Amino acid sequence: MGVNVWQGRFRERLATFGFFVFMGTGTSAWFSRLPSVKEMLGLQPSSLALMTILGGCGALVGMVVSGVLTNRLGVRRSMLLAASTWCLGMMIASAAIWRLSLPGVVLGLLFNSAGISLWGTVNTVEAGAVERNAEHSIMSRFHASYSLGMFLALGLGSLISHLGIPVVVHLSVNAAVTLVLIICCLLICPSDPQGDDTGPAGDTGRDGAGDTRSPMRKQVAAWGDSLVLMLALINVALEASEGAVNDWSSIGLVDSFKAPESMANLAPTVFAAAMIVSRMLGPWVIERLGNMASLYLTLLVSALGILVYSLSPVLLVSLIGTGIWGIGAALGVPIVNTLATRDPSMAAQRASVISTAYYGVSWIIPPAIGFLADHTGVRPALLPLALILVLVTLLVRPVNRQD
């Protein structure tokens, strides 16, 4: 490999890490201030859930177009469109919170979820291409950088809340800074990123070399692929679990232990820290246990963490539960993304299905916990997630296909 090629690959990998980090810092700022948003708008858990579910409908747009857009626009332009759409949504939501307008917040979240769905697809396609060409497992470390961004944003959110900085200022500045940082990553990334390559990768799948179907026909085919749908099911279970941490773990500590927002945010922060460690060690674990054994383990350990968090009568033990939860949830999504992007000719379409499940569900299923929480309290309302994870473990069959 020539020096210029090596430098280009290094810059591209650095930019890809940036895409994940700044997605984590950008999106998690919202979660760090949810208790304040809930209080400012005077919402019950069920009302907060309905607001988030309606706002999450923007991900349905991503379900239809994100794979096609990524194919047609390429990684760089698709990333700019995704980050800009997300930023616009956060600006609208921030202004609406300032005006105490619930419909305005929903409108902002619609743009947010549409942008995140496309952002997730671009991240998956590009990270999958970089991993294919690296010829060793690095996907979990890209996701570790997302968890690092999440950890930093939640910690900063706790500090900002403690200092009394208004929610509107925090969220709007965060959106603008995130967009600027993504643009910087795009300037670092080479003009021909590996994620734009849709040629054959030497796999044995039927969608490899010689596939002349249009991007839209490939998108329809991806939604009918049993392997992709099974991987999406795994992502649904894991993201329902991870999204619940962001939406409810801090609120659960406030409700159960009367903890202040700055302390309650330790729950998702501990979760993110546990994910960072687990994902950094991920390649070592996956190479020794294999993809499917690692998937089964991640689902069951996540379920255990939920039980500890939800049933503990002590704040400290609940926080330990979120750490176990994070360790378990860490490797599932990287493994799923690796399996989904092995065939470059279908990577964008399959990634759009996976990322729609991954990011779309985080705006729909976890908020629905609020309806149950009105009757049981927040922490007990999370227990059904543990059952879902166990059921998915029993339903998932081994993935042996190479495409």
Side-chain angles (χ1 to χ4, degrees):
M1 183 183 297
V3 175
N4 290 338
V5 174
W6 182 87
Q7 289 177 342
R9 293 284 175 88
F10 175 78
R11 286 166 47 210
E12 185 170 2
R13 187 176 295 194
L14 186 62
T16 306
F17 276 114
F19 295 155
F20 279 88
V21 169
F22 300 131
M23 185 176 190
T25 57
T27 57
S28 296
W30 168 259
F31 299 121
S32 74
R33 303 309 299 268
L34 266 181
S36 292
V37 172
K38 176 176 176 286
E39 182 180 353
M40 290 178 66
L41 297 177
L43 301 176
Q44 296 298 317
S46 58
S47 302
L48 179 64
L50 182 60
M51 178 192 78
T52 311
I53 289 171
L54 292 175
C57 290
L60 298 176
V61 177
M63 179 187 301
V64 177
V65 303
S66 61
V68 176
L69 283 175
T70 304
N71 258 160
R72 291 185 172 173
L73 298 180
V75 166
R76 289 162 58 90
R77 286 187 292 175
S78 296
M79 177 58 69
L80 180 60
L81 177 60
S84 299
T85 303
W86 171 84
C87 178
L88 174 62
M90 187 54 67
M91 291 294 189
I92 293 172
S94 298
I97 293 170
W98 177 58
R99 300 286 296 178
L100 302 180
S101 169
L102 186 57
V105 176
V106 171
L107 176 63
L109 294 181
L110 283 168
F111 281 94
N112 261 277
S113 58
I116 288 172
S117 184
L118 177 57
W119 197 336
T121 297
V122 180
N123 276 359
T124 301
V125 169
E126 177 63 8
V130 171
E131 183 179 56
R132 279 196 310 273
N133 291 316
E135 298 182 346
H136 61 272
S137 178
I138 56 172
M139 183 70 76
S140 68
R141 288 179 179 156
F142 284 127
H143 285 268
S145 63
Y146 171 81
S147 299
L148 174 61
M150 181 179 172
F151 174 81
L152 293 173
L154 291 169
L156 182 61
S158 294
L159 176 60
I160 288 174
S161 174
H162 179 72
L163 295 175
I165 295 174
V167 172
V168 174
V169 174
H170 177 195
L171 296 181
S172 56
V173 170
N174 169 76
V177 170
T178 299
L179 180 59
V180 170
L181 291 172
I182 288 297
I183 291 172
C184 292
C185 290
L186 292 173
L187 294 175
I188 293 172
C189 188
S191 58
D192 53 345
Q194 297 169 70
D196 289 348
D197 179 14
T198 58
D203 58 37
T204 58
R206 61 180 174 82
D207 299 318
D211 191 341
T212 59
R213 291 174 296 177
S214 69
M216 184 57 73
R217 289 184 63 189
K218 289 181 181 180
Q219 186 70 72
V220 173
W223 279 100
D225 189 308
S226 60
L227 170 64
V228 178
L229 293 179
M230 189 189 71
L231 295 175
L233 173 65
I234 298 169
N235 257 6
V236 165
L238 290 168
E239 181 53 26
S241 164
E242 186 175 341
V245 173
N246 294 327
D247 285 354
W248 298 110
S249 63
S250 58
I251 294 175
L253 297 186
V254 171
D255 288 352
S256 296
F257 303 109
K258 308 304 178 186
E261 182 184 56
S262 57
M263 181 176 292
N265 275 338
L266 285 174
T269 304
V270 168
F271 180 88
M275 290 191 84
I276 293 170
V277 174
S278 187
R279 284 174 168 173
M280 290 302 295
L281 297 175
W284 183 86
V285 174
I286 293 168
E287 288 171 4
R288 280 154 182 79
L289 297 182
N291 283 325
M292 291 313 300
S294 299
L295 273 177
Y296 293 139
L297 185 63
T298 198
L299 290 163
L300 292 176
V301 175
S302 293
L304 174 63
I306 293 171
L307 292 175
V308 174
Y309 168 83
S310 300
L311 299 178
S312 170
V314 180
L315 173 62
L316 177 59
V317 179
S318 278
L319 289 173
I320 292 173
T322 60
I324 298 171
W325 195 347
I327 290 171
L331 297 184
V333 174
I335 293 171
V336 165
N337 287 344
T338 293
L339 294 172
T341 57
R342 281 178 171 173
D343 175 10
S345 72
M346 286 291 290
Q349 284 73 26
R350 289 176 175 172
S352 74
V353 177
I354 299 302
S355 67
T356 297
Y358 181 41
Y359 298 107
V361 169
S362 70
W363 293 83
I364 299 172
I365 292 181
I369 292 168
F371 295 104
L372 181 60
D374 276 351
H375 305 285
T376 66
V378 172
R379 290 197 304 149
L382 296 171
L383 288 172
L385 292 174
L387 178 61
I388 291 173
L389 290 166
V390 173
L391 289 176
V392 169
T393 306
L394 297 175
L395 291 173
V396 168
R397 61 177 175 80
V399 178
N400 295 317
R401 286 170 52 187
Q402 293 303 306
D403 58 334

